[in-house]
Amino acid sequence: MSTHEVDLFDMLSGDNSPFTGFGVPAAADEIQWQKFSETVKTIKDWIKEGFAIECDDSFATVHAIEALIAQMWDEEWEPSLGDVNLFLTSFGVIITNAILKTLGGTLVMRSPTHADHASIWWPDLKIEAFPFHTVGKRLWNRDGVSIAFTCDSIAKLIQDRNAEK
């Protein structure tokens, strides 16, 4: 089943543990972190070379990726003909990295080979974000909610929950 056929959500709130509906969640181990970090570097280089976008570890990158996807749609992006998985994985990794570097959290993996249901979990705040879902929905829906808006909303919720502590 392709990812866009699953009812995807961007965030969960109020649960005591990461969502189990997409597989057994586990905090990324040292090997997964190393592989993730290497993948981030490779994808940053690919985006710089292919799209002339310098990706850093901030929300500026989130906004740049959103603008790039909007440009793809303006240039007649057709998800049924394009390599959605390539863009989903590449942009998902970059967005996940920006969120982790900006807002902290724990990278939660559900598969040793697929990242499409990876999430970021803030256990003390009972918040879980699914950046790959956010990217996937935007790649499949021209008029969908922007990645930047979703990431800004996650940041606001984290800020509000921290203020409540």
Side-chain angles (χ1 to χ4, degrees), residues 143-155:
D143 299 319
V145 175
S146 85
I147 296 166
F149 176 82
T150 301
C151 290
D152 290 343
S153 297
I154 293 166

Side-chain angles (χ1 to χ4, degrees), residues 37-163:
S37 298
E38 291 168 359
T39 302
V40 167
K41 182 182 178 341
T42 300
I43 292 171
K44 281 181 177 182
D45 291 344
W46 177 75
I47 290 173
K48 183 177 180 179
E49 182 179 315
F51 300 102
I53 295 173
E54 187 78 40
C55 296
D56 61 15
D57 297 334
S58 75
F59 271 24
T61 292
V62 171
H63 290 268
I65 295 297
E66 173 59 38
L68 176 57
I69 293 173
Q71 179 184 343
M72 289 167 60
W73 280 110
D74 289 345
E75 294 173 359
E76 305 304 322
W77 162 252
E78 179 53 57
S80 64
L81 302 176
D83 191 348
V84 174
N85 286 332
L86 171 67
F87 292 108
L88 171 62
T89 300
S90 299
F91 297 161
V93 164
I94 294 302
I95 299 300
T96 299
N97 183 64
I99 293 170
L100 285 164
K101 297 293 185 179
T102 304
L103 302 174
T106 300
L107 179 62
V108 176
M109 303 299 290
R110 290 172 173 79
S111 166
T113 56
H114 300 296
D116 53 346
H117 294 304
S119 64
I120 304 170
W121 169 244
W122 292 269
D124 56 328
L125 304 175
K126 297 183 179 181
I127 298 171
E128 185 173 17
F130 293 83
F132 288 85
H133 292 188
T134 303
V135 171
K137 290 187 329 185
R138 186 66 177 98
L139 287 169
W140 281 103
N141 185 355
R142 176 186 196 111
D143 299 319
V145 175
S146 85
I147 296 166
F149 176 82
T150 301
C151 290
D152 290 343
S153 297
I154 293 166
K156 175 78 169 102
L157 180 60
I158 288 171
Q159 179 184 17
D160 291 350
R161 289 276 174 89
N162 278 324

